[in-house]
PDB file of all heavy atoms in Angstrom:
ATOM      1  N   GLY A  19       2.762  51.129  -2.818  1.00 97.00           N
ATOM      2  CA  GLY A  19       3.845  52.081  -3.095  1.00 97.00           C
ATOM      3  C   GLY A  19       3.853  52.299  -4.576  1.00 97.00           C
ATOM      4  O   GLY A  19       2.983  52.578  -5.293  1.00 97.00           O
ATOM      5  N   GLU A  20       5.233  52.392  -5.034  1.00 96.00           N
ATOM      6  CA  GLU A  20       5.441  52.761  -6.406  1.00 96.00           C
ATOM      7  C   GLU A  20       5.000  51.652  -7.550  1.00 96.00           C
ATOM      8  O   GLU A  20       5.222  51.948  -8.696  1.00 96.00           O
ATOM      9  CB  GLU A  20       6.911  53.235  -6.644  1.00 96.00           C
ATOM     10  CG  GLU A  20       7.070  54.529  -5.859  1.00 96.00           C
ATOM     11  CD  GLU A  20       8.579  55.003  -6.146  1.00 96.00           C
ATOM     12  OE1 GLU A  20       9.296  54.418  -6.983  1.00 96.00           O
ATOM     13  OE2 GLU A  20       8.888  56.132  -5.685  1.00 96.00           O
ATOM     14  N   ARG A  21       4.576  50.561  -7.028  1.00 97.00           N
ATOM     15  CA  ARG A  21       4.062  49.489  -7.934  1.00 97.00           C
ATOM     16  C   ARG A  21       2.709  50.041  -8.550  1.00 97.00           C
ATOM     17  O   ARG A  21       2.300  49.585  -9.564  1.00 97.00           O
ATOM     18  CB  ARG A  21       3.791  48.202  -7.154  1.00 97.00           C
ATOM     19  CG  ARG A  21       5.092  47.477  -6.693  1.00 97.00           C
ATOM     20  CD  ARG A  21       4.746  46.110  -6.167  1.00 97.00           C
ATOM     21  NE  ARG A  21       4.044  45.298  -7.096  1.00 97.00           N
ATOM     22  CZ  ARG A  21       3.298  44.280  -6.748  1.00 97.00           C
ATOM     23  NH1 ARG A  21       3.046  43.943  -5.476  1.00 97.00           N
ATOM     24  NH2 ARG A  21       2.713  43.599  -7.678  1.00 97.00           N
ATOM     25  N   ILE A  22       2.167  50.945  -7.830  1.00 98.00           N
ATOM     26  CA  ILE A  22       0.878  51.666  -8.376  1.00 98.00           C
ATOM     27  C   ILE A  22       1.327  52.641  -9.397  1.00 98.00           C
ATOM     28  O   ILE A  22       2.087  53.487  -9.103  1.00 98.00           O
ATOM     29  CB  ILE A  22       0.049  52.341  -7.310  1.00 98.00           C
ATOM     30  CG1 ILE A  22      -0.157  51.349  -6.149  1.00 98.00           C
ATOM     31  CG2 ILE A  22      -1.214  52.887  -7.902  1.00 98.00           C
ATOM     32  CD1 ILE A  22      -0.779  52.063  -4.924  1.00 98.00           C
ATOM     33  N   PRO A  23       0.834  52.624 -10.585  1.00 97.00           N
ATOM     34  CA  PRO A  23       1.197  53.677 -11.655  1.00 97.00           C
ATOM     35  C   PRO A  23       0.982  55.045 -11.090  1.00 97.00           C
ATOM     36  O   PRO A  23      -0.061  55.210 -10.352  1.00 97.00           O
ATOM     37  CB  PRO A  23       0.392  53.305 -12.823  1.00 97.00           C
ATOM     38  CG  PRO A  23       0.026  51.896 -12.718  1.00 97.00           C
ATOM     39  CD  PRO A  23      -0.070  51.611 -11.192  1.00 97.00           C
ATOM     40  N   LEU A  24       1.793  55.961 -11.429  1.00 97.00           N
ATOM     41  CA  LEU A  24       1.506  57.354 -10.978  1.00 97.00           C
ATOM     42  C   LEU A  24       0.213  57.949 -11.213  1.00 97.00           C
ATOM     43  O   LEU A  24      -0.304  58.554 -10.351  1.00 97.00           O
ATOM     44  CB  LEU A  24       2.696  58.169 -11.551  1.00 97.00           C
ATOM     45  CG  LEU A  24       2.616  59.735 -11.145  1.00 97.00           C
ATOM     46  CD1 LEU A  24       2.782  59.871  -9.649  1.00 97.00           C
ATOM     47  CD2 LEU A  24       3.743  60.511 -11.877  1.00 97.00           C
ATOM     48  N   GLU A  25      -0.280  57.688 -12.353  1.00 97.00           N
ATOM     49  CA  GLU A  25      -1.626  58.222 -12.666  1.00 97.00           C
ATOM     50  C   GLU A  25      -2.675  57.650 -11.671  1.00 97.00           C
ATOM     51  O   GLU A  25      -3.717  58.309 -11.334  1.00 97.00           O
ATOM     52  CB  GLU A  25      -2.119  57.849 -14.081  1.00 97.00           C
ATOM     53  CG  GLU A  25      -1.993  56.400 -14.541  1.00 97.00           C
ATOM     54  CD  GLU A  25      -0.704  55.954 -15.071  1.00 97.00           C
ATOM     55  OE1 GLU A  25       0.292  56.626 -14.918  1.00 97.00           O
ATOM     56  OE2 GLU A  25      -0.657  54.861 -15.659  1.00 97.00           O
ATOM     57  N   GLY A  26      -2.467  56.364 -11.282  1.00 97.00           N
ATOM     58  CA  GLY A  26      -3.515  55.696 -10.262  1.00 97.00           C
ATOM     59  C   GLY A  26      -3.326  56.473  -8.912  1.00 97.00           C
ATOM     60  O   GLY A  26      -4.299  56.640  -8.208  1.00 97.00           O
ATOM     61  N   ARG A  27      -2.080  56.795  -8.573  1.00 97.00           N
ATOM     62  CA  ARG A  27      -1.857  57.435  -7.264  1.00 97.00           C
ATOM     63  C   ARG A  27      -2.354  58.862  -7.225  1.00 97.00           C
ATOM     64  O   ARG A  27      -2.886  59.291  -6.237  1.00 97.00           O
ATOM     65  CB  ARG A  27      -0.325  57.534  -6.928  1.00 97.00           C
ATOM     66  CG  ARG A  27       0.261  56.167  -6.591  1.00 97.00           C
ATOM     67  CD  ARG A  27       1.758  56.335  -6.333  1.00 97.00           C
ATOM     68  NE  ARG A  27       2.520  55.871  -7.658  1.00 97.00           N
ATOM     69  CZ  ARG A  27       3.774  56.316  -7.933  1.00 97.00           C
ATOM     70  NH1 ARG A  27       4.342  57.225  -7.170  1.00 97.00           N
ATOM     71  NH2 ARG A  27       4.328  55.863  -8.934  1.00 97.00           N
ATOM     72  N   ILE A  28      -2.358  59.493  -8.372  1.00 98.00           N
ATOM     73  CA  ILE A  28      -2.923  60.963  -8.466  1.00 98.00           C
ATOM     74  C   ILE A  28      -4.516  60.741  -8.389  1.00 98.00           C
ATOM     75  O   ILE A  28      -5.097  61.556  -7.604  1.00 98.00           O
ATOM     76  CB  ILE A  28      -2.521  61.577  -9.753  1.00 98.00           C
ATOM     77  CG1 ILE A  28      -1.007  61.925  -9.770  1.00 98.00           C
ATOM     78  CG2 ILE A  28      -3.340  62.809 -10.061  1.00 98.00           C
ATOM     79  CD1 ILE A  28      -0.398  62.392 -11.027  1.00 98.00           C
ATOM     80  N   LEU A  29      -5.072  59.853  -9.128  1.00 96.00           N
ATOM     81  CA  LEU A  29      -6.472  59.732  -9.158  1.00 96.00           C
ATOM     82  C   LEU A  29      -7.075  59.257  -7.770  1.00 96.00           C
ATOM     83  O   LEU A  29      -8.172  59.593  -7.411  1.00 96.00           O
ATOM     84  CB  LEU A  29      -6.972  58.743 -10.241  1.00 96.00           C
ATOM     85  CG  LEU A  29      -7.363  59.272 -11.566  1.00 96.00           C
ATOM     86  CD1 LEU A  29      -8.758  60.013 -11.371  1.00 96.00           C
ATOM     87  CD2 LEU A  29      -6.381  60.244 -12.108  1.00 96.00           C
ATOM     88  N   ASN A  30      -6.281  58.493  -7.075  1.00 96.00           N
ATOM     89  CA  ASN A  30      -6.750  57.983  -5.741  1.00 96.00           C
ATOM     90  C   ASN A  30      -7.158  59.165  -4.848  1.00 96.00           C
ATOM     91  O   ASN A  30      -8.226  59.196  -4.249  1.00 96.00           O
ATOM     92  CB  ASN A  30      -5.600  57.086  -5.149  1.00 96.00           C
ATOM     93  CG  ASN A  30      -6.074  56.553  -3.809  1.00 96.00           C
ATOM     94  OD1 ASN A  30      -7.351  56.386  -3.460  1.00 96.00           O
ATOM     95  ND2 ASN A  30      -5.158  56.097  -2.980  1.00 96.00           N
ATOM     96  N   ILE A  31      -6.285  60.193  -4.705  1.00 97.00           N
ATOM     97  CA  ILE A  31      -6.526  61.300  -3.781  1.00 97.00           C
ATOM     98  C   ILE A  31      -7.619  62.139  -4.453  1.00 97.00           C
ATOM     99  O   ILE A  31      -8.486  62.651  -3.627  1.00 97.00           O
ATOM    100  CB  ILE A  31      -5.244  61.985  -3.430  1.00 97.00           C
ATOM    101  CG1 ILE A  31      -5.438  62.807  -2.268  1.00 97.00           C
ATOM    102  CG2 ILE A  31      -4.804  62.960  -4.598  1.00 97.00           C
ATOM    103  CD1 ILE A  31      -4.144  63.405  -1.592  1.00 97.00           C
ATOM    104  N   ALA A  32      -7.675  62.321  -5.692  1.00 96.00           N
ATOM    105  CA  ALA A  32      -8.659  63.156  -6.372  1.00 96.00           C
ATOM    106  C   ALA A  32     -10.140  62.540  -6.116  1.00 96.00           C
ATOM    107  O   ALA A  32     -11.055  63.238  -5.746  1.00 96.00           O
ATOM    108  CB  ALA A  32      -8.329  63.302  -7.788  1.00 96.00           C
ATOM    109  N   ASP A  33     -10.103  61.202  -6.377  1.00 93.00           N
ATOM    110  CA  ASP A  33     -11.427  60.509  -6.189  1.00 93.00           C
ATOM    111  C   ASP A  33     -11.880  60.534  -4.769  1.00 93.00           C
ATOM    112  O   ASP A  33     -13.116  60.712  -4.463  1.00 93.00           O
ATOM    113  CB  ASP A  33     -11.176  59.061  -6.651  1.00 93.00           C
ATOM    114  CG  ASP A  33     -12.562  58.289  -6.838  1.00 93.00           C
ATOM    115  OD1 ASP A  33     -13.612  58.978  -7.132  1.00 93.00           O
ATOM    116  OD2 ASP A  33     -12.534  57.111  -6.656  1.00 93.00           O
ATOM    117  N   GLN A  34     -10.943  60.353  -3.746  1.00 95.00           N
ATOM    118  CA  GLN A  34     -11.365  60.307  -2.438  1.00 95.00           C
ATOM    119  C   GLN A  34     -11.883  61.644  -1.957  1.00 95.00           C
ATOM    120  O   GLN A  34     -12.909  61.764  -1.154  1.00 95.00           O
ATOM    121  CB  GLN A  34     -10.099  59.893  -1.519  1.00 95.00           C
ATOM    122  CG  GLN A  34     -10.455  59.772   0.014  1.00 95.00           C
ATOM    123  CD  GLN A  34     -11.485  58.693   0.219  1.00 95.00           C
ATOM    124  OE1 GLN A  34     -11.381  57.527  -0.380  1.00 95.00           O
ATOM    125  NE2 GLN A  34     -12.484  58.908   1.029  1.00 95.00           N
ATOM    126  N   TYR A  35     -11.215  62.781  -2.370  1.00 96.00           N
ATOM    127  CA  TYR A  35     -11.668  64.016  -2.099  1.00 96.00           C
ATOM    128  C   TYR A  35     -13.066  64.326  -2.460  1.00 96.00           C
ATOM    129  O   TYR A  35     -13.953  64.800  -1.693  1.00 96.00           O
ATOM    130  CB  TYR A  35     -10.804  65.171  -2.611  1.00 96.00           C
ATOM    131  CG  TYR A  35     -11.312  66.579  -2.377  1.00 96.00           C
ATOM    132  CD1 TYR A  35     -11.105  67.243  -1.279  1.00 96.00           C
ATOM    133  CD2 TYR A  35     -11.981  67.200  -3.370  1.00 96.00           C
ATOM    134  CE1 TYR A  35     -11.526  68.461  -1.002  1.00 96.00           C
ATOM    135  CE2 TYR A  35     -12.501  68.500  -3.081  1.00 96.00           C
ATOM    136  CZ  TYR A  35     -12.293  69.106  -2.029  1.00 96.00           C
ATOM    137  OH  TYR A  35     -12.780  70.389  -1.787  1.00 96.00           O
ATOM    138  N   ASP A  36     -13.301  64.040  -3.798  1.00 93.00           N
ATOM    139  CA  ASP A  36     -14.741  64.176  -4.266  1.00 93.00           C
ATOM    140  C   ASP A  36     -15.735  63.320  -3.584  1.00 93.00           C
ATOM    141  O   ASP A  36     -16.898  63.744  -3.359  1.00 93.00           O
ATOM    142  CB  ASP A  36     -14.755  63.984  -5.773  1.00 93.00           C
ATOM    143  CG  ASP A  36     -15.924  64.817  -6.384  1.00 93.00           C
ATOM    144  OD1 ASP A  36     -15.718  65.999  -6.566  1.00 93.00           O
ATOM    145  OD2 ASP A  36     -16.991  64.125  -6.693  1.00 93.00           O
ATOM    146  N   ALA A  37     -15.332  62.139  -3.276  1.00 90.00           N
ATOM    147  CA  ALA A  37     -16.321  61.183  -2.596  1.00 90.00           C
ATOM    148  C   ALA A  37     -16.702  61.757  -1.242  1.00 90.00           C
ATOM    149  O   ALA A  37     -17.822  61.776  -0.752  1.00 90.00           O
ATOM    150  CB  ALA A  37     -15.661  59.807  -2.342  1.00 90.00           C
ATOM    151  N   LEU A  38     -15.683  62.324  -0.488  1.00 93.00           N
ATOM    152  CA  LEU A  38     -15.966  62.966   0.775  1.00 93.00           C
ATOM    153  C   LEU A  38     -16.902  64.143   0.605  1.00 93.00           C
ATOM    154  O   LEU A  38     -17.805  64.366   1.504  1.00 93.00           O
ATOM    155  CB  LEU A  38     -14.708  63.332   1.492  1.00 93.00           C
ATOM    156  CG  LEU A  38     -13.821  62.224   1.929  1.00 93.00           C
ATOM    157  CD1 LEU A  38     -12.443  62.617   2.448  1.00 93.00           C
ATOM    158  CD2 LEU A  38     -14.452  61.443   3.147  1.00 93.00           C
ATOM    159  N   ARG A  39     -16.710  64.936  -0.409  1.00 93.00           N
ATOM    160  CA  ARG A  39     -17.394  66.196  -0.602  1.00 93.00           C
ATOM    161  C   ARG A  39     -18.872  65.935  -1.056  1.00 93.00           C
ATOM    162  O   ARG A  39     -19.756  66.765  -0.680  1.00 93.00           O
ATOM    163  CB  ARG A  39     -16.727  67.121  -1.640  1.00 93.00           C
ATOM    164  CG  ARG A  39     -15.501  67.735  -1.242  1.00 93.00           C
ATOM    165  CD  ARG A  39     -15.551  68.644  -0.011  1.00 93.00           C
ATOM    166  NE  ARG A  39     -16.696  69.582  -0.039  1.00 93.00           N
ATOM    167  CZ  ARG A  39     -16.569  70.804  -0.516  1.00 93.00           C
ATOM    168  NH1 ARG A  39     -15.499  71.233  -1.129  1.00 93.00           N
ATOM    169  NH2 ARG A  39     -17.684  71.541  -0.437  1.00 93.00           N
ATOM    170  N   SER A  40     -19.065  64.888  -1.703  1.00 86.00           N
ATOM    171  CA  SER A  40     -20.270  64.602  -2.474  1.00 86.00           C
ATOM    172  C   SER A  40     -21.414  63.949  -1.504  1.00 86.00           C
ATOM    173  O   SER A  40     -21.036  63.123  -0.767  1.00 86.00           O
ATOM    174  CB  SER A  40     -20.213  63.736  -3.644  1.00 86.00           C
ATOM    175  OG  SER A  40     -19.264  64.331  -4.516  1.00 86.00           O
ATOM    176  N   SER A  41     -22.621  64.396  -1.587  1.00 81.00           N
ATOM    177  CA  SER A  41     -23.632  63.789  -0.802  1.00 81.00           C
ATOM    178  C   SER A  41     -24.154  62.468  -1.524  1.00 81.00           C
ATOM    179  O   SER A  41     -24.255  62.497  -2.704  1.00 81.00           O
ATOM    180  CB  SER A  41     -24.755  64.796  -0.620  1.00 81.00           C
ATOM    181  OG  SER A  41     -25.334  65.115  -1.892  1.00 81.00           O
ATOM    182  N   ARG A  42     -24.576  61.586  -0.671  1.00 73.00           N
ATOM    183  CA  ARG A  42     -25.228  60.333  -1.210  1.00 73.00           C
ATOM    184  C   ARG A  42     -26.553  60.170  -0.290  1.00 73.00           C
ATOM    185  O   ARG A  42     -26.626  60.746   0.740  1.00 73.00           O
ATOM    186  CB  ARG A  42     -24.288  59.157  -1.054  1.00 73.00           C
ATOM    187  CG  ARG A  42     -23.093  59.260  -2.039  1.00 73.00           C
ATOM    188  CD  ARG A  42     -23.440  59.188  -3.392  1.00 73.00           C
ATOM    189  NE  ARG A  42     -22.258  59.131  -4.321  1.00 73.00           N
ATOM    190  CZ  ARG A  42     -21.667  60.220  -4.824  1.00 73.00           C
ATOM    191  NH1 ARG A  42     -22.193  61.391  -4.583  1.00 73.00           N
ATOM    192  NH2 ARG A  42     -20.635  60.083  -5.684  1.00 73.00           N
ATOM    193  N   LEU A  43     -27.324  59.178  -0.744  1.00 66.00           N
ATOM    194  CA  LEU A  43     -28.536  58.904   0.103  1.00 66.00           C
ATOM    195  C   LEU A  43     -28.173  58.397   1.419  1.00 66.00           C
ATOM    196  O   LEU A  43     -28.899  58.541   2.440  1.00 66.00           O
ATOM    197  CB  LEU A  43     -29.308  57.798  -0.632  1.00 66.00           C
ATOM    198  CG  LEU A  43     -30.088  58.346  -1.975  1.00 66.00           C
ATOM    199  CD1 LEU A  43     -30.785  57.158  -2.622  1.00 66.00           C
ATOM    200  CD2 LEU A  43     -31.041  59.469  -1.659  1.00 66.00           C
ATOM    201  N   TYR A  44     -26.931  57.756   1.603  1.00 68.00           N
ATOM    202  CA  TYR A  44     -26.480  57.197   2.821  1.00 68.00           C
ATOM    203  C   TYR A  44     -25.460  58.052   3.586  1.00 68.00           C
ATOM    204  O   TYR A  44     -24.989  57.638   4.653  1.00 68.00           O
ATOM    205  CB  TYR A  44     -26.023  55.777   2.684  1.00 68.00           C
ATOM    206  CG  TYR A  44     -24.888  55.691   1.613  1.00 68.00           C
ATOM    207  CD1 TYR A  44     -23.551  55.914   2.020  1.00 68.00           C
ATOM    208  CD2 TYR A  44     -25.205  55.597   0.293  1.00 68.00           C
ATOM    209  CE1 TYR A  44     -22.537  55.879   1.048  1.00 68.00           C
ATOM    210  CE2 TYR A  44     -24.151  55.374  -0.656  1.00 68.00           C
ATOM    211  CZ  TYR A  44     -22.800  55.558  -0.216  1.00 68.00           C
ATOM    212  OH  TYR A  44     -21.834  55.514  -1.186  1.00 68.00           O
TER     213      TYR A  44
END
């Protein structure tokens, strides 16, 4: 919840989106 700093909550969804979009060897 809000124990996570706001900047971390914003980065979480940004990072997850890019991880899903990006290709990896696996």
Side-chain angles (χ1 to χ4, degrees):
E20 293 186 358
R21 291 185 62 199
I22 306 169
L24 178 57
E25 56 269 17
R27 287 177 262 153
I28 290 173
L29 261 290
N30 184 17
I31 198 166
D33 192 30
Q34 185 61 46
Y35 173 83
D36 203 78
L38 291 169
R39 292 299 315 271
S40 303
S41 64
R42 296 291 186 266
L43 291 175
Y44 55 89

